Amino acid sequence: MPTVAELYKKDLDKLIKPGIHFLDGNTATAEGAITAGCRFYAGYPITPSNEIAEYMSYRLPQVGGKFIQMEDEIGSIMAVLGASAAGVKSMTATSGPGFSLMQEEIGLGSMMEIPAVIVDVMRAGPSTGIPTLIGQGDVLQAKYGSHGDYEVVAYLPANPQEAFDFTIKAFNAAEKYRVVAIVLSDQLVGHMYGKVRVPEYDEIEIVERPKPTVPPDQYLPYDSRYLVPPMAIAGAGYRVNNESLTHTDKGYPTTDRDASFKLVMRLVRKIRENEREIAEWEEYMLDDAEYVLVSYGSTSGSVRRAIKILRAQGYRVGMLRPKTAWPFPGWVVENLASRGVQKFITVEVNMGKMFHVVKEFSRGVPVEHIPYAPGYIPDPDYVVNNVVKVIGR
Amino acid sequence: MSVEAEVTTTGIKVELPKSYEDIKDLIRIDRLPHIWCPGCGLGILLKLLARAIKNSGIPIEKHVIVTGIGCTGRIGGYLKLDAYHVTHGRAIPFAVGLKMANPELEVTVVGGDGDILAIGGNHFIHAARRNDDINVIIVNNFIYGMTGGQYSPTTPKGAKTTTSPYGHYENPFNIPLLAYAAGASYVARWSVLHQNELYQSLLEMFKVKGFAVVEVLSPCIIYTDRNAMGDAVDLVKILKERSTIDHNANLADLDIDFSMKKIILGNFVKRERPVSYEK
């Protein structure tokens, strides 16, 4: 796999330098995107993601990229998909209300198999909610928000370091699988400052979309002999019909039963068959844990402290922290359930989202949720008190 | 007489008429026959657009067509070009992304009145304001055809549609005036009956730097039927008899009302205006 050092030789002096930096999560996200090769950004102002757009408008021209502030979020994601179709790695950033508006185009990106990255800096909802405060309510929307069957890849950074790293991973996944990849950041991650170590350029691996190797007359844009077909970009001479309607391998609209099913199968298989390669998670004090707290994003920091307090009180608790919401590492939950865990307890800033996903894999082991959605992450004490209650139930 | 005969993906043997000889390499013959109703003007536009692309002086592989949803949205699929058939109303922002990412591309959006001006209206006025260097062909048939004849942003007040059975209560857009006010560099209106003028206008559109808008009046059998105008051919007759060409017309006079007594066509606007993303 090529590295930043090989791919962006000419631009290396314009990239963020390897070494230790002190950055907020939103800036780290933007620098991660540029390091990954993002050269186009389209977005619409929305709190608490604005620092990403502002920073990209400043940084992209320095690296030969382009920035546009569109008329709305739908226009933003469409411009991103258009720019990517022309061969430029592209992204947008938004928050809950804007992310909701983009759902139809997540379906379009999935159907046309155009790589793109959306950063969703989650805030409190529903509706306009509390723009300046955290929520974690978009976890299910990220996968199920658009109609029809498709798959996304979605990362859950918990600090500025992961905001940097996971944005690069999101670009790599988007390009490798030709899907829409999402960075599910949150208001606290976006605004917290922290240490970010930028690896040496020859340590950062970059994935680029598969390119066609056959001449135009033999090329099929949605060639079902591949799980991820090579992608011809606009203007390259392949002259193909890129189709949002259910289509054949050739890109022609179809209502044929076999062709339709074959397409939808491939769109989900390309992620489902690679879920073990894509999914990432952290296991914290799980070795002897009887009770597994499932938490992610900035909330996991509070849960980590709560586990230390609970351990000191004699409770055998640990944390499973998914780093990818999608694909969800369900087999890890299954293994823990089979191993004899007593209970799973989800701790998220919502009224129960990943709770349902954990339940899907818990093999009958009880799953409980600690509801919390006031625009703040729960204090460690709040987690401790509620875990004790749940354990005693 | 035919230039090409082959069994297509639709299972039907199609012979392309002789008049397509010069553009047969631009038509996806294997997709014919097309889905449009007899009498529809979209076939005419397909031919003229292909011919204008061929003679634009811009390499064919640099032409990209972006379309949304509706009868008109299907036009890209019949052109042997890089074409993107995207979601309803969103062809313009997709085209903006394509053009920004690769300014060498000649990007043309083709859409109906509902697609471009209702659900896509916000994108239309903002792309015109920025003067993005793309082309937009709006095929105006006064109605939503593919979904069965609901009223659109250009349906004249009084017209009967499937969602205005008592006659339409609203006023329509005046497309050239709207495009000009929002900032377009080039604005023209022709009908599919005025083939030569329309063809010349499309050629001009490719030359224009900035946002170019060509409104194309096109008959729709769904519209004419419901409004007792006869069939699509009768609407063409109306366009023929009642239209006048006036390149210098006052844009405010370009409304088309239900009587269709006054239909003004022409190349109305051509102006130099700074283009977005160029200093």
Side-chain angles (χ1 to χ4, degrees):
Chain A
M1 214 181 288
T3 64
V4 169
E6 294 159 64
L7 279 175
Y8 308 123
K9 265 180 208 148
K10 280 182 290 180
D11 288 338
L12 290 183
D13 59 325
K14 294 167 193 148
L15 300 182
I16 187 169
K17 300 268 171 292
I20 305 296
H21 298 259
F22 188 59
L23 301 174
D24 63 292
N26 279 347
T27 304
T29 299
E31 284 293 0
I34 291 169
T35 305
C38 175
R39 294 295 178 269
F40 181 86
Y41 181 99
Y44 186 79
I46 186 168
T47 304
S49 76
N50 293 314
E51 294 82 3
I52 298 175
E54 291 168 3
Y55 194 72
M56 289 301 259
S57 74
Y58 162 75
R59 279 289 275 139
L60 276 175
Q62 296 175 345
V63 294
K66 285 191 179 152
F67 172 93
I68 185 170
Q69 183 174 306
M70 292 295 285
E71 52 274 9
D72 59 31
E73 282 90 349
I74 306 174
S76 301
I77 181 63
M78 284 306 281
V80 163
L81 292 172
S84 181
V88 176
K89 289 189 187 178
S90 306
M91 82 159 196
T92 185
T94 187
S95 187
F99 193 53
S100 297
L101 284 174
M102 291 180 187
Q103 291 302 323
E104 185 192 17
E105 316 317 337
I106 290 177
L108 177 70
S110 306
M111 188 59 141
M112 278 198 179
E113 301 181 66
I114 301 175
V117 171
I118 301 174
V119 180
D120 174 20
V121 187
M122 293 187 283
R123 72 190 214 189
S127 193
T128 12
I130 313 174
T132 52
L133 297 179
I134 184 180
Q136 292 183 316
D138 303 354
V139 177
L140 296 180
Q141 183 184 201
K143 179 173 171 171
Y144 297 110
S146 199
H147 54 280
D149 294 284
Y150 64 102
E151 291 280 344
V152 298
V153 175
Y155 289 92
L156 292 162
N159 50 54
Q161 178 71 58
E162 288 187 346
F164 180 85
D165 295 340
F166 290 2
T167 306
I168 296 174
K169 283 173 184 284
F171 271 97
N172 284 347
E175 293 281 320
K176 183 170 183 178
Y177 300 107
R178 294 182 61 183
V179 293
V180 176
I182 297 155
V183 180
L184 282 172
S185 182
D186 61 52
Q187 178 269 327
L188 267 183
V189 169
H191 289 162
M192 78 168 73
Y193 276 75
K195 191 170 83 174
V196 175
R197 190 187 83 84
V198 175
E200 294 298 325
Y201 295 139
D202 58 6
E203 290 170 12
I204 307 173
E205 292 188 326
I206 299 295
V207 182
E208 306 225 295
R209 62 192 68 171
K211 293 182 182 68
T213 50
V214 297
D217 60 331
Q218 289 165 35
Y219 175 71
L220 294 170
Y222 303 102
D223 194 338
S224 57
R225 289 172 300 176
Y226 299 85
L227 208 47
V228 185
M231 178 174 170
I233 60 170
Y238 283 84
R239 294 164 68 179
V240 291
N241 189 44
N242 300 270
E243 188 55 73
S244 163
L245 291 165
T246 298
H247 45 260
T248 62
D249 287 17
K250 211 172 177 180
Y252 290 0
T254 185
T255 52
D256 177 79
R257 195 185 291 229
D258 293 337
S260 307
F261 194 32
K262 196 164 74 173
L263 172 67
V264 175
M265 283 282 278
R266 188 174 61 73
L267 291 180
V268 299
R269 275 179 55 221
K270 64 183 180 179
I271 297 301
R272 289 183 189 175
E273 290 184 9
N274 291 297
E275 59 180 11
R276 286 182 192 239
E277 190 186 315
I278 305 166
E280 294 188 40
W281 66 94
E282 180 199 351
E283 300 182 7
Y284 180 70
M285 296 196 176
L286 278 186
D287 287 350
D288 62 342
E290 290 179 343
Y291 300 94
V292 176
L293 275 59
V294 182
S295 190
Y296 53 88
S298 52
T299 311
S300 63
S302 201
V303 170
R304 207 180 296 270
R305 172 69 67 86
I307 286 171
K308 281 180 189 157
I309 299 168
L310 286 161
R311 284 265 169 182
Q313 294 174 7
Y315 293 100
R316 277 157 65 183
V317 293
M319 174 171 65
L320 170 63
R321 177 171 75 93
K323 295 180 180 177
T324 51
W326 313 111
F328 181 77
W331 58 93
V332 180
V333 174
E334 284 175 349
N335 291 345
L336 287 165
S338 309
R339 206 197 65 196
V341 158
Q342 300 291 304
K343 246 174 204 172
F344 291 97
I345 304 161
T346 52
V347 189
E348 328 166 55
V349 184
N350 58 48
M351 300 303 283
K353 301 277 183 189
M354 196 170 279
F355 165 71
H356 296 285
V357 188
V358 174
K359 250 184 148 172
E360 191 182 330
F361 296 98
S362 65
R363 300 193 161 172
V365 174
V367 185
E368 301 217 32
H369 181 65
I370 297 177
Y372 200 73
Y376 296 84
I377 59 168
D379 293 339
D381 286 350
Y382 184 89
V383 178
V384 168
N385 293 339
N386 280 281
V387 167
V388 169
K389 263 188 234 165
V390 167
I391 288 175
R393 229 174 252 162
Chain B
M1 289 295 284
S2 71
V3 292
E4 203 84 19
E6 62 176 75
V7 177
T8 69
T9 50
T10 52
I12 298 165
K13 194 176 174 194
V14 164
E15 298 185 356
L16 209 55
K18 189 84 178 162
S19 61
Y20 282 75
E21 174 69 40
D22 59 326
I23 50 166
K24 64 177 184 186
D25 59 328
L26 272 169
I27 306 289
R28 290 192 191 278
I29 298 164
D30 61 347
R31 280 206 60 198
L32 298 178
H34 59 61
I35 63 161
W36 299 313
C37 306
C40 175
L42 281 162
I44 295 170
L45 178 66
L46 174 71
K47 184 170 76 175
L48 297 178
L49 181 58
R51 190 161 289 149
I53 285 168
K54 178 112 182 175
N55 298 323
S56 64
I58 299 159
I60 283 168
E61 65 272 15
K62 295 299 170 201
H63 278 277
V64 183
I65 303 290
V66 188
T67 61
I69 299 303
C71 300
T72 307
R74 296 303 187 96
I75 207 165
Y78 299 117
L79 286 164
K80 208 183 275 177
L81 295 170
D82 278 326
Y84 293 86
H85 185 207
V86 302
T87 42
H88 195 28
R90 316 302 171 194
I92 288 177
F94 192 94
V96 169
L98 278 166
K99 182 70 183 179
M100 282 184 74
N102 183 359
E104 281 184 18
L105 299 176
E106 182 67 31
V107 185
T108 303
V109 170
V110 196
D113 39 289
D115 189 44
I116 301 282
L117 295 174
I119 188 167
N122 200 27
H123 306 307
F124 177 76
I125 56 172
H126 283 275
R129 169 184 62 79
R130 292 187 294 260
N131 209 16
D132 291 321
D133 189 11
I134 59 172
N135 315 306
V136 178
I137 300 169
I138 305 173
V139 179
N140 182 3
N141 63 357
F142 308 104
I143 208 159
Y144 285 86
M146 186 170 271
T147 45
Q150 298 81 8
Y151 65 77
S152 87
T154 56
T155 302
K157 199 176 173 89
K160 284 187 176 157
T161 71
T162 51
T163 46
S164 61
Y166 308 113
H168 190 35
Y169 297 119
E170 303 169 13
N171 297 309
F173 270 135
N174 170 341
I175 295 177
L177 179 63
L178 176 68
Y180 173 78
S185 270
Y186 179 77
V187 182
R189 173 198 277 164
W190 293 102
S191 87
V192 290
L193 186 76
H194 297 76
Q195 293 194 27
N196 190 42
E197 292 90 339
L198 175 55
Y199 170 68
Q200 296 298 335
S201 178
L202 294 175
L203 279 178
E204 190 63 31
M205 172 188 83
F206 289 130
K207 287 191 199 129
V208 167
K209 202 150 182 56
F211 197 70
V213 180
V214 178
E215 179 187 357
V216 182
L217 304 179
S218 175
C220 176
I221 196 160
I222 301 272
Y223 180 76
T224 51
D225 260 12
R226 227 158 241 284
N227 288 292
M229 289 172 168
D231 58 19
V233 179
D234 293 313
L235 183 61
V236 174
K237 210 178 281 172
I238 292 174
L239 290 172
K240 184 182 179 186
E241 286 164 3
R242 302 187 192 167
S243 61
T244 53
I245 297 170
D246 180 2
H247 301 302
N248 301 313
N250 182 344
L251 294 176
D253 290 339
L254 297 181
D255 290 300
I256 299 173
D257 68 24
F258 189 42
S259 74
M260 298 192 100
K261 275 187 182 144
K262 187 182 70 175
I263 304 164
I264 302 174
L265 310 173
N267 301 315
F268 306 118
V269 177
K270 193 182 168 190
R271 56 176 166 172
E272 301 240 340
R273 210 177 149 249
V275 175
S276 65
Y277 297 91
E278 278 190 358
K279 282 182 183 159

